[in-house]
Amino acid sequence: DLGCHRRCRAALRPRMKRPVAISDSANFYVSAERIFDPTLKNVPVIVLSNNDGCAIARSDEAKALGIKMGTPLHHIRDKVDAHGIRVFSSNYTLYGDISRRAVEVYEDFTPNVEIYSIDECFLDFVGFKDRTAHAMALRAAVLRRVGVPVRIGIAPTKTLAKCANDIAKRNPIFAGVLDMMDESLANWLLPRVPVGDIWGVGRKTTDKLKALGVDTAADLRDLPIRQARAVGTVVLERIVLELQGEACLAFEDVEPQRKGMAVTRSAGTPMTDFDTLFQAITAHASRGAEKLRQHGLVAGTLTAFFHTNKHRPDRPQYTASRTTRMTPMSSDTFDLVEAARRCAEAGWPKSDPGSFGFTKAGIMLNDLVRFEDRPQTLFDQARPKSPALMKALDDVNDRFGKKTMVLASEGKNQTWRLRADHRSPRYTTRMEDLPVVR
């Protein structure tokens, strides 16, 4: 019939490709450090992981000296001294605030922003006639208003946009922006992209693909769909379709509700007694409760865990993880800390606990729902005046700085805190750390 005929014609008609862009910051942690310290320009800089362990961010100058991602600091001490490499501890407070400021700029240039990571955002570029000019203006605005350089890749799918971004990153001829909406341009560039550099293709999958003669992004794009599924399940199948220009990864116009969250940190010094361990777990549970309230969520289950250093087989090993239900579901700091204590006490070693040095602890929150959607029963007894008390706690810490008001069980002399001997000031979030111009 006529209706069926029209539906068939609509199905066969080529779908309008929706341009999606991804913007990422160049050597983001290093770039953030350079905003407030001009002496770091054009010199080798590295940023270290938690507890000042390994290099997790490197300037181009540091990369040129042969410093690899993840190299432990004690392996490159001689190189640091010989070449005057500037070393910084991770300053996540600063990096998070710089990331937030960059997102504010993105929101002035596109109606939809999807935050992918601290230094990467997908941007909706539908409706812009000259996408390259628009992206160039965006780059200039981020550099002027925030101070970090970004690169932008544009394509009809997220996977192709990531490819375009990587190409723009490595080839100065594109001046930081590559629009790969043109299929002929993609056909010319994809044979030059190693298959291992494609977003979502891991090392093991790369080895399997190379054994089949699939060496480039173009080779993977042309791989039969059934063979792709056989090699890497539906995940690789979607990547192949995305390389062919068919969007399989939806653009999230609205951030999806979180299903779970974790707060975990390594300890600056091993924790050998329960009080010290519980100080750390209290801090993590308090932070988890704060994050729940920021997102308007409550948790149904809490897991507390702690373990020794897995990389020290010569030392006694112990791992504990215990889970409890939250009844009623809650985002109250007191409720979460009480639940975390029950789990920690249940997992604490029964014999000779002092022989273990616990180097990591944390909490995980699951079964998250929105506060207004939480299930209620006749016998649930919520803490009296909890919402008002938690709002007062959050207001105090928002106004006077994080950790201004904490639970006593978090302790005062926190020996478990992370080592950060090379951390720069929190320039944008602490009054006492504001840079002074003389």
Side-chain angles (χ1 to χ4, degrees):
D1 66 353
L2 182 59
C4 180
H5 178 66
R6 286 175 174 170
R7 287 193 296 272
C8 290
R9 288 185 60 187
L12 293 171
R13 188 183 304 124
R15 286 181 293 179
M16 184 71 70
K17 291 184 176 181
R18 177 182 184 175
V20 58
I22 184 168
S23 174
D24 90 311
S25 304
N27 307 323
F28 177 65
Y29 291 177
V30 172
S31 296
E33 297 287 355
R34 282 174 165 171
I35 294 174
F36 298 97
D37 189 347
T39 66
L40 300 178
K41 299 289 178 67
N42 302 318
V43 300
V45 180
I46 61 173
V47 177
L48 303 174
S49 60
N50 288 341
N51 274 328
D52 293 346
C54 306
I56 57 170
R58 304 152 297 151
S59 67
D60 291 337
E61 297 82 4
K63 294 175 185 177
L65 293 173
I67 296 178
K68 305 296 184 185
M69 177 67 79
T71 303
L73 178 61
H74 65 270
H75 286 180
I76 54 174
R77 283 290 186 187
D78 292 343
K79 189 173 289 187
V80 168
D81 295 338
H83 298 280
I85 299 173
R86 302 288 296 275
V87 178
F88 288 87
S89 303
S90 296
N91 189 343
Y92 297 119
T93 302
L94 174 65
Y95 308 151
D97 192 57
I98 297 301
S99 176
R100 177 190 61 79
R101 292 168 185 238
V103 170
E104 287 181 350
V105 180
Y106 297 151
E107 289 172 342
D108 289 342
F109 282 79
T110 176
N112 297 315
V113 177
E114 178 187 331
I115 299 173
Y116 176 62
S117 67
I118 193 170
D119 66 336
E120 292 180 289
C121 289
F122 286 105
L123 314 172
D124 189 351
F125 262 40
V126 171
F128 300 114
K129 291 183 178 180
D130 191 337
R131 292 181 296 268
T132 298
H134 191 68
M136 288 290 189
L138 172 58
R139 287 189 76 232
V142 174
L143 188 61
R144 182 180 69 255
R145 291 167 54 181
V146 182
V148 295
V150 298
R151 291 74 52 99
I152 300 173
I154 309 166
T157 70
K158 287 184 174 180
T159 302
L160 283 172
K162 286 281 286 184
C163 282
N165 184 279
D166 288 342
I167 294 169
K169 182 189 308 183
R170 297 171 183 173
N171 294 272
I173 60 171
F174 295 110
V177 174
L178 174 56
D179 185 346
M180 216 160 64
M181 289 295 294
D182 187 340
E183 188 173 345
S184 61
L185 180 58
N187 291 337
W188 184 72
L189 289 170
L190 291 183
R192 294 163 172 79
V193 177
V195 70
D197 289 351
I198 300 172
W199 184 41
V201 178
R203 181 177 56 80
K204 292 183 178 179
T205 303
T206 299
D207 293 340
K208 293 179 183 178
L209 290 170
K210 288 188 174 182
L212 296 173
V214 178
D215 297 313
T216 69
D219 296 334
L220 182 56
R221 176 199 59 194
D222 298 334
L223 191 70
I225 294 297
R226 287 187 178 180
Q227 190 174 9
R229 181 186 280 262
V231 172
T233 71
V234 68
V235 175
L236 190 62
E237 178 183 350
R238 289 173 180 165
I239 292 173
V240 171
L241 291 171
E242 287 250 327
L243 290 173
Q244 293 173 356
E246 182 176 337
C248 299
L249 303 173
F251 191 98
E252 300 287 355
D253 297 337
V254 179
E255 183 180 0
Q257 180 179 308
R258 303 182 70 158
K259 301 300 182 184
M261 67 174 65
V263 182
T264 176
R265 293 287 185 275
S266 297
T269 57
M271 299 173 286
T272 57
D273 62 275
F274 184 82
D275 288 343
T276 301
L277 174 75
F278 186 58
Q279 286 180 10
I281 287 181
T282 296
H284 302 329
S286 299
R287 176 57 181 149
E290 180 184 346
K291 291 170 70 174
L292 286 175
R293 294 193 293 271
Q294 287 174 349
H295 291 275
L297 301 172
V298 291
T301 61
L302 178 145
T303 299
F305 63 91
F306 49 92
H307 60 75
T308 51
N309 188 345
K310 300 175 182 178
H311 303 290
R312 292 288 304 274
D314 58 313
R315 301 292 298 275
Q317 297 292 305
Y318 188 92
T319 298
S321 176
R322 299 292 187 273
T323 301
T324 186
R325 292 203 63 81
M326 303 292 299
T327 306
M329 301 177 77
S330 179
S331 61
D332 184 292
T333 299
F334 292 96
D335 290 342
L336 268 62
V337 170
E338 285 180 4
R341 184 178 186 95
R342 293 197 301 270
C343 293
E345 288 177 337
W348 187 249
K350 306 304 180 193
S351 61
D352 197 18
S355 65
F356 303 104
F358 297 104
T359 56
K360 194 164 191 176
I363 60 105
M364 293 185 291
L365 302 169
N366 289 296
D367 299 336
L368 309 186
V369 299
R370 298 203 63 79
F371 176 81
E372 57 270 21
D373 298 331
R374 70 196 188 284
Q376 294 178 300
T377 69
L378 180 64
F379 301 103
D380 286 349
Q381 294 293 323
R383 190 180 296 274
K385 301 182 180 179
S386 170
L389 179 59
M390 291 302 102
K391 183 179 185 304
L393 176 64
D394 292 339
D395 287 347
V396 168
N397 288 329
D398 285 344
R399 179 174 180 180
F400 297 103
K402 290 184 178 180
K403 301 296 183 183
T404 298
M405 184 179 291
V406 300
L407 271 63
S409 56
E410 192 169 324
K412 184 176 180 181
N413 299 317
Q414 299 171 333
T415 58
W416 53 270
R417 284 287 181 188
L418 288 172
R419 288 198 309 272
D421 298 333
H422 310 282
R423 188 172 60 200
S424 57
R426 298 175 176 89
Y427 296 106
T428 62
T429 56
R430 289 197 176 189
M431 290 294 293
E432 60 268 29
D433 287 351
L434 281 172
V436 178
V437 178
R438 291 185 174 88

